[in-house]
Amino acid sequence: MELPVVLMPGPMNAAVAAGLDGHCELIRLWEEPDPDGVLARRRDEIVAIAAGGTVIDGAYLDRLPAVRLIASFGVGYDRIDAAAAAERGVVVTNTPGVLDDEVADTAMGLLLMTVRELSRAERYLRDGKWADGTPYPLTPATLHGRRMGILGLGRIGQAIADRVKPFGVSVAYHNRSQKDVEYEYYPSLLELAADVDILMIVIPGGDSTRHLVNAEVLKALGPDGIVINVARGTVIDEQALVDALRTNTILSAGLDVFEHEPKVHPDLLTLPNAVLLPHVGSATQPTRTAMANLVADNLRHYLTKGTPLTPVPESSPLLA
Ligand code: NDP
């Protein structure tokens, strides 16, 4: 029996290919000497795509008219034009749920590093300054008594809220719609920013959330304000953030994601009140394996039963 053909445009966690072994013919496109030739020759055979970091838009899909499923690695799928896929009858899946705790842990670590200047303090020790007899200066900020505004109280946002509660930090949130939760809802992001002193960003990226956190929002957050971004770099106007950090319009920022990553705004690299991580929110071996397994599960379920496990909302009209 001929196996269905699945395209993997770029390298992915090895558990994806392992989970598909025996269930399909997998084209590892980046290993092909003539990738365009392969796409042209196999255009009517490739029925699904296992997508890692590749940008997939309508033009990409037009080259592959037999594709019916894109199984994307990660919960954020802003590299994939899910609306263009739906227009072409292509379902998109992501990997929700299996990374919530990991990303929430990273967000907490980043928050503590930022408010207590922990990475600066460690550099101080490594530079021998503590051994020279001078203690690290007291940090102007503490976590205690703070109020956190969560921009995007979804799966990960809720896991972060669960974690900050025992720290005595109160929580409010802004989504497009109110949820049935114990936390105060703000229909306006600007009003939320004005009422909190930590802004925790956990919304999806993409055009609809681009630069939602702008100069006005940062000004409303105020001089004690801390911005933590574990969502997507595009959600913040990065130049406005740099200006706010430089002029002490806000106190500090902890960032796991950047507008043009892996390039980081050069000023962020020199600003002492920014803590910077290289997009490691979900980056542990167990969690990345769980995400890879869910990609393979989605593909296998689709190939054998015709339905995916975790479609994104844009795909729901196709599955009704
Ligand atoms: P969810 O879909 O569960 O939650 C997203 C929340 O954002 C929802 O509550 C939604 O509420 C809200 N939201 C969406 N759009 C807007 C908007 N325009 N304005 C205000 N609120 C909005 O997603 P997850 O919690 O699973 O993941 C969130 C994001 O975190 C991902 O999309 C991804 O980009 C990022 N992420 C980053 C990682 C990292 O490594 N740093 C790892 C994993 C995820 P409503 O619909 O009511 O607006």
Side-chain angles (χ1 to χ4, degrees):
M1 194 184 78
E2 266 190 30
L3 292 173
V5 181
V6 174
L7 176 71
M8 192 182 276
M12 294 178 80
N13 184 293
V16 176
L20 294 175
D21 198 25
H23 295 271
C24 65
E25 178 194 342
L26 191 62
I27 299 177
R28 293 173 171 84
L29 195 63
W30 73 99
E31 290 180 352
E32 297 287 344
D34 175 20
D36 285 332
V38 171
L39 291 184
R41 270 197 311 280
R42 313 288 308 266
R43 70 191 293 275
D44 295 322
E45 295 170 84
I46 297 168
V47 292
I49 302 175
T54 308
V55 174
I56 299 180
D57 56 11
Y60 194 104
L61 289 172
D62 287 340
R63 299 173 72 188
L64 299 167
V67 165
R68 286 293 161 266
L69 180 82
I70 303 168
S72 179
F73 183 90
V75 69
Y77 53 95
D78 39 305
R79 286 172 194 268
I80 294 170
D81 188 339
E87 278 168 23
R88 290 159 178 79
V90 179
V91 172
V92 177
T93 62
N94 61 348
T95 60
V98 294
L99 42 60
D100 300 350
D101 287 333
E102 205 72 76
V103 182
D105 291 348
T106 307
M108 284 306 297
L110 190 51
L111 173 60
L112 287 165
M113 284 169 77
T114 306
V115 72
R116 292 298 314 281
E117 302 177 5
L118 296 182
S119 37
R120 271 170 85 185
E122 194 200 4
R123 275 198 302 275
Y124 188 91
L125 179 153
R126 287 180 188 271
D127 289 347
K129 292 180 184 162
W130 187 41
D132 286 348
T134 318
Y136 186 79
L138 307 183
T139 60
T142 174
L143 186 60
H144 301 289
R146 284 185 177 264
R147 182 163 167 81
M148 176 185 281
I150 299 184
L151 172 54
L153 190 77
R155 288 172 294 251
I156 299 170
Q158 181 67 60
I160 294 170
D162 292 346
R163 280 160 175 72
V164 290
K165 230 172 136 184
F167 281 84
V169 173
S170 65
V171 170
Y173 73 102
H174 168 71
N175 283 5
R176 288 165 303 183
S177 54
Q178 187 165 6
K179 293 183 76 165
D180 184 18
V181 289
E182 64 188 280
Y183 310 114
E184 189 178 354
Y185 175 64
Y186 282 72
S188 153
L189 171 58
L190 201 57
E191 282 169 26
L192 175 75
D195 279 6
V196 300
D197 47 23
I198 300 168
L199 184 63
M200 175 64 73
I201 305 172
V202 218
I203 50 171
D207 289 345
S208 62
T209 59
R210 188 176 163 73
H211 289 190
L212 219 54
V213 177
N214 55 22
E216 202 184 0
V217 171
L218 296 169
K219 188 158 181 274
L221 192 59
D224 286 329
I226 297 170
V227 170
I228 305 293
N229 189 6
V230 291
R232 286 291 181 265
T234 51
V235 178
I236 304 184
D237 178 342
E238 210 163 71
Q239 186 57 53
L241 178 66
V242 164
D243 294 343
L245 289 168
R246 191 186 292 118
T247 56
N248 300 315
T249 303
I250 64 167
L251 182 71
S252 53
L255 309 171
D256 185 44
V257 287
F258 303 89
E259 206 168 345
H260 305 291
E261 62 184 59
K263 280 193 193 146
V264 175
H265 192 302
D267 293 0
L268 283 175
L269 295 171
T270 58
L271 279 164
N273 49 351
V275 176
L276 314 173
L277 297 180
H279 201 149
V280 292
S282 66
T284 66
Q285 289 178 8
T287 293
R288 288 289 171 86
T289 301
M291 292 160 65
N293 287 339
L294 188 47
V295 171
D297 290 349
N298 264 302
L299 282 158
R300 276 202 320 271
H301 211 265
Y302 169 76
L303 294 173
T304 55
K305 300 195 165 62
T307 52
L309 295 173
T310 51
V312 303
E314 290 89 334
S315 297
S316 43
L318 301 172
L319 300 164

